[in-house]
């Protein structure tokens, strides 16, 4: 157990782990806040005001355009995340390597 | 009843039974039963996530809602693609790394206490019962309408089939059924969209323009009524999207894939499936408005559930009507099956194996518990649905989402990402989230009508922040033990990084 415990703490202590958590956290939380915020904004504008009611061409108003943006924005964000995910996978492996190197150097475990 | 519909229906049921039989040959252990042995492929899991969520009520109700209510109908599906993208970004990978069969596993990894597993299981069971009863009543009503048989017979038919699918096929059977559902939906929608768009020279805007011409601007705008009604709409949107992240049948899907990369890719497939499905609904709905007419749609069903069927019959004749009806029936049963297996996990795995048997049950008795829990859950939901069929239970589905968002989500996010989170925070958070969301609904106009103490029809906009606040404040009520502090490090690291089993990974310098 001691070996495993040290292993987790060692990973957490590596600069790459901190870098990974910061970079991935910034990306996923900002994309999440943007999507959720837009959804709430569109909903609020549609029910409380008439700013989305104006027609761009007959039959197509801003509300319907906003709805289609909300349908497909998640697809765009999902692919953006997927494109970056490989880099995060590499950082994960690098953090494991650094942690293991650290443990070997201190002779604490493994 | 239309004989073509019966013919298609019998053929589809036969196909689903063959699928269940094939899946049952691999359903030989608790792991196979709950999570298909964690061997589901990414694309299959992605379609199954969509299949789980796209129920009969979603398919028929959203189209009917847009057809009859204009933009207010859009709210039924507006946040769904966003919800699955949020799951992908925030939860898919950590859940795959930390869970085995249930959310209780994730919490038990963080706090090694039976109490937290019990509380989590009871919470999951509450959410699933609420949701399944609503879905069962909806499924019974829709099946009764499609096959022209009494509600009780329809509910019983759906219940018995679901029992067969889930008891024998387990998660693998449910998954294959959901993949079939999505394939049928894709075929039915491509044909229906093609034939409908052909009537409008393949110009979808001509449809909504036609709807505006016939019924005025209200066909494409929100018909805001009262301030409280508008805040309730906002609250419902808030609760459904955040609740989706913590619905047990959504979470369990990420335990059915072998690794984090597959969890990720399956969420991308699901996002595409959701986006394409929801983007096609308004086109079908406005096609129905113009070609069928609102009067005839609401004559078929006041909620508009028949809109897609009437349109199918009009543009594609008996064959398309029968195919669409059979697709709707598979949709109903596939999504119910996925929910039933997820709920059985909370009962069989969390309560029986880990709380009652203290994790000491052998493989055979775990598998038996899984199947007994599945049968028990299906029967209980069916009986409640039969008992409450006369009442308007539509609110139960959004209540289930509100409970998931208020009681499950804060605890799950804090368990994965916050080291200072303590067991007292988990207990207080789940309790406050559960009690506040249920109590606010009991005090709302939905139940108390004009004597309502709480003015909103949906509690999420109040109960979700309360759940988060209680989880956060509750964490400061107690100090984490040394063992809990150690577990906090392990879980928060494992939420971020794939930790190989000791000995699995050669040292890079070797």
């Amino acid at each position: 157990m001691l070996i495993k415990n040290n292993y987790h703490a060692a990973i957490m202590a590596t600069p790459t782990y901190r870098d990974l958590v910061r970079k991935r956290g910034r990306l996923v939380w900002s994309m999440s806040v943007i999507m959720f915020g837009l959804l709430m904004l569109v909903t609020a504008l549609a029910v409380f005001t008439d700013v989305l009611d104006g027609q761009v061409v007959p039959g197509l108003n801003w509300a319907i355009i906003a709805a289609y943006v909300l349908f497909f924005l998640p697809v765009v964000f999902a692919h953006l995340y997927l494109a970056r995910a490989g880099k995060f996978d590499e950082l994960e492996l690098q953090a494991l390597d650094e942690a293991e190197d650290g443990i070997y150097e201190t002779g604490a475990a493994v | 009843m239309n004989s073509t519909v019966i013919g298609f229906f019998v053929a589809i049921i036969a196909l689903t039974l063959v699928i269940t039989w094939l899946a049952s040959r691999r359903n030989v252990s608790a792991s196979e039963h709950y999570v298909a042995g964690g061997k589901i492929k990414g694309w299959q899991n992605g379609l199954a996530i969509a299949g789980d969520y796209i129920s009969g009520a979603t398919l028929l109700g959203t189209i009917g809602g847009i057809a009859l209510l204009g933009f207010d109908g859009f709210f039924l599906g507006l946040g769904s693609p966003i919800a699955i993208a949020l799951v992908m970004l925030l939860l898919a990978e950590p859940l795959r790394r930390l869970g085995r069969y249930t959310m209780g596993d994730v919490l038990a990894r963080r706090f090694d206490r039976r109490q937290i597993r019990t509380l989590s299981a009871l919470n999951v069971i509450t959410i699933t019962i609420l949701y399944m009863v609503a879905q069962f009543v909806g499924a019974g009503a829709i099946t009764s309408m499609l096959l022209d048989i009494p509600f009780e017979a329809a509910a019983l038919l759906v219940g018995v089939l679901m029992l067969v699918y889930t008891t024998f096929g387990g998660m693998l059977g449910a998954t294959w059924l959901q993949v079939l559902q999505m394939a049928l939906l894709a075929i039915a929608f491509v044909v229906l969209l093609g034939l409908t768009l052909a009537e409008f020279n393949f110009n979808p805007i001509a449809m909504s323009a036609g709807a505006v011409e016939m019924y005025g601007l209200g066909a494409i705008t929100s018909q805001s009524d009262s301030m409280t009604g508008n805040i309730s709409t906002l609250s419902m949107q808030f609760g459904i999207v955040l609740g989706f992240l913590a619905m047990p049948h959504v979470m369990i899907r990420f335990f059915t894939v072998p690794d984090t990369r597959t969890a990720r890719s399956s969420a991308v497939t699901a996002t595409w499936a959701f986006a394409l499905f929801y983007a096609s609904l308004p086109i079908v709905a406005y096609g129905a408005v113009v070609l069928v007419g609102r009067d005839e749609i609401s004559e078929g069903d006041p909620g508009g559930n028949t809109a897609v069927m009437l349109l199918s019959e009009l543009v594609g004749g008996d064959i398309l009507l029968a195919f669409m009806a059979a697709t709707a029936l598979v949709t109903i049963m596939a999504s119910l099956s996925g929910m039933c297996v997820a709920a059985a996990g909370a009962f069989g795995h969390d309560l029986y194996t880990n709380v009652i048997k203290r994790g000491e049950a052998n493989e055979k008795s775990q598998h038996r518990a899984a199947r007994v829990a599945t049968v028990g859950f299906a029967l209980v939901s069916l009986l409640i649905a039969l008992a409450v069929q006369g009442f308007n239970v539509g609110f139960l589905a959004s209540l289930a989402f509100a409970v998931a968002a208020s009681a499950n989500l804060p605890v799950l996010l804090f368990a994965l990402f916050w080291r200072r989170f303590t067991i007292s925070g988990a207990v207080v958070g789940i309790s406050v989230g559960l009690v506040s969301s249920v109590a606010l609904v009991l005090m709302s106009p939905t139940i108390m009508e004009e004597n309502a103490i709480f003015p909103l029809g949906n509690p999420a906009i109040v109960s979700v922040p309360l759940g988060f606040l209680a989880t956060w404040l509750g964490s400061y009520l107690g100090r984490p033990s040394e063992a809990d502090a150690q577990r906090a490090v392990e879980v928060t690291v494992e939420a971020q990084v794939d930790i190989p089993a000791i000995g699995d990974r050669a040292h890079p310098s070797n």
Side-chain angles (χ1 to χ4, degrees):
Chain A
M1 202 57 205
L2 181 69
I3 292 172
K4 209 174 163 213
N5 290 349
N6 279 351
Y7 191 36
H8 285 85
I11 295 168
M12 192 175 254
T14 62
T16 307
Y17 174 84
R18 288 198 293 268
D19 192 34
L20 165 73
V21 172
R22 195 179 58 244
K23 279 188 182 150
R24 184 162 53 194
R26 198 186 302 151
L27 181 70
V28 300
W29 284 105
S30 52
M31 289 203 282
S32 302
V33 169
I34 290 171
M35 284 192 289
F36 190 66
L38 270 179
L39 173 67
M40 288 294 121
L41 180 70
V42 169
T43 307
L45 289 177
V47 296
F48 292 115
T49 74
D50 52 12
V51 296
L52 300 178
D53 290 354
Q55 294 189 83
V56 183
V57 293
L60 182 69
N61 61 6
W62 291 110
I64 294 180
I65 293 174
Y68 276 83
V69 169
L70 291 178
F71 290 149
F72 286 100
L73 184 67
V75 173
V76 174
F77 277 11
H79 281 280
L80 276 178
Y81 177 69
L82 206 57
R84 297 282 300 278
K87 178 72 187 158
F88 297 135
D89 290 345
E90 280 171 24
L91 286 178
E92 284 183 31
L93 290 174
Q94 203 181 319
L96 291 177
D97 286 347
E98 283 174 21
E100 284 172 19
D101 283 342
I103 288 170
Y104 275 99
E105 275 161 23
T106 57
V110 188
Chain B
M1 201 190 315
N2 187 322
S3 60
T4 322
V5 173
I6 300 179
F8 265 91
F9 182 58
V10 170
I12 291 275
I13 296 296
L15 182 61
T16 57
L17 289 174
V18 170
I19 285 176
T20 307
W21 174 70
L22 288 173
S24 73
R25 297 197 305 178
R26 279 169 51 179
N27 183 8
V28 291
S29 66
S31 164
E32 292 286 352
H33 189 87
Y34 291 131
V35 293
K39 289 180 289 210
I40 299 290
K41 293 183 175 67
W43 67 270
Q44 290 177 339
N45 196 45
L47 293 180
I49 293 168
D52 250 334
Y53 188 71
I54 298 170
S55 62
T58 318
L59 170 65
L60 306 182
T62 313
I63 293 172
I66 297 172
L68 296 181
L69 304 172
F71 198 77
D72 289 321
F74 276 72
F75 293 132
L76 298 168
L78 199 58
S80 303
I82 289 181
I84 183 62
L86 293 183
V87 172
M88 175 199 182
L89 293 171
L90 302 176
L91 292 173
E93 295 175 47
L95 281 176
R96 175 55 278 175
R97 292 186 185 112
L98 283 156
R100 197 166 155 229
Y101 302 152
T102 64
M103 174 178 156
D105 289 336
V106 178
L107 291 181
R109 180 81 184 79
R110 179 81 199 242
F111 307 109
D112 186 20
R113 312 272 210 297
R114 286 197 297 157
Q115 157 199 23
I116 193 71
R117 206 185 262 276
T118 312
L119 197 59
S120 157
L122 292 177
N123 190 32
V124 166
I125 289 168
T126 308
I127 293 167
T128 324
I129 289 256
L130 289 171
Y131 196 52
M132 278 195 63
V133 168
Q135 292 287 342
F136 244 125
V137 172
I142 293 166
T143 310
S144 142
M145 180 188 84
L146 293 175
L147 298 179
D148 198 15
I149 53 175
F151 175 87
E152 288 80 4
L156 215 59
L157 176 72
V158 171
V160 168
L161 282 171
M162 190 193 74
L163 209 66
V164 172
Y165 298 147
T166 51
T167 314
F168 296 101
M171 181 54 98
L172 187 63
T175 306
W176 284 350
L177 212 56
Q178 286 159 345
V179 172
L180 172 71
Q181 167 198 342
M182 294 308 291
L184 291 175
L185 265 179
I187 295 169
F189 264 56
V190 166
V191 174
L192 178 62
L193 285 172
L195 291 174
T196 310
L197 279 165
E199 305 274 335
F200 296 86
N201 289 326
F202 293 93
N203 174 12
I205 298 172
M207 295 177 175
S208 45
V212 171
E213 218 166 90
M214 290 165 73
Y215 300 99
L217 268 181
I220 54 170
T221 56
S222 169
Q223 304 300 299
S224 22
D225 44 6
S226 62
M227 184 54 92
T228 51
N230 290 343
I231 301 175
S232 284
T233 304
L234 202 64
S235 181
M236 183 188 78
Q237 200 69 263
F238 190 82
I240 287 183
V241 172
L242 295 182
F244 183 92
L245 271 73
M247 282 301 267
H249 64 292
V250 175
M251 281 194 273
I252 200 170
R253 293 257 38 121
F254 294 100
F255 305 140
T256 67
V257 291
D259 51 45
T260 48
R261 280 176 195 222
T262 318
R264 199 153 63 205
S265 70
S266 64
V268 177
T269 307
T271 311
W272 267 108
F274 272 51
L276 293 173
F277 173 75
Y278 282 100
S280 62
L281 297 187
I283 302 174
V284 175
Y286 286 121
V289 170
V290 176
L291 297 176
V292 180
R294 275 183 170 177
D295 292 342
E296 203 175 324
I297 291 172
S298 44
E299 211 172 280
D301 174 72
N305 278 322
T306 51
V308 66
M309 296 302 156
L310 292 169
L311 180 66
S312 301
E313 192 175 19
L314 189 80
V315 298
D318 270 2
I319 301 280
L320 186 58
L321 169 68
F323 190 78
M324 190 58 86
T327 303
L329 289 166
V330 172
T331 301
I332 288 164
M333 288 177 297
S335 56
L336 273 172
S337 300
M339 275 174 242
C340 188
V341 176
F347 199 82
H349 174 67
D350 285 332
L351 287 185
Y352 174 78
T353 304
N354 283 294
V355 175
I356 298 170
K357 289 287 180 182
R358 296 169 184 255
E360 309 264 308
N362 62 32
E363 180 49 48
K364 203 173 160 198
S365 79
Q366 283 191 45
H367 190 212
R368 197 173 47 234
R371 286 187 154 168
V372 170
T374 310
V375 174
F377 226 88
L379 285 179
V380 168
S381 327
L382 177 62
L383 289 176
I384 298 177
L386 285 172
V388 301
Q389 54 148 315
F391 301 93
N392 180 6
V393 293
F395 75 95
L396 287 183
S398 57
L399 174 60
F401 277 92
V403 174
S406 315
N408 268 4
L409 186 64
V411 170
L412 189 64
L413 287 178
F414 284 169
L416 293 173
F417 300 118
W418 191 37
R419 260 202 294 160
R420 180 66 183 76
F421 180 46
T422 62
I423 180 103
S424 52
V427 173
V428 174
I430 291 180
S431 311
V432 170
L434 181 63
V435 171
S436 65
S437 45
V438 175
L440 289 175
V441 164
L442 291 177
M443 293 188 288
S444 75
T446 315
I447 303 289
M448 297 182 72
E449 298 177 347
E450 69 273 13
N451 300 318
I453 302 166
F454 180 69
L456 304 180
N458 186 295
I461 211 157
V462 176
S463 61
V464 176
L466 266 181
F468 271 95
L469 190 68
T471 312
W472 179 67
L473 286 176
S475 291
Y476 289 98
L477 285 178
R479 287 181 62 80
S481 67
E482 205 168 303
D484 278 349
Q486 182 56 48
R487 282 172 170 275
V489 171
E490 288 174 23
V491 170
T492 46
V493 169
E494 284 177 29
Q496 301 282 351
V497 179
D498 271 336
I499 308 276
I502 288 176
D504 272 8
R505 188 166 188 269
H507 186 264
S509 60
N510 287 345

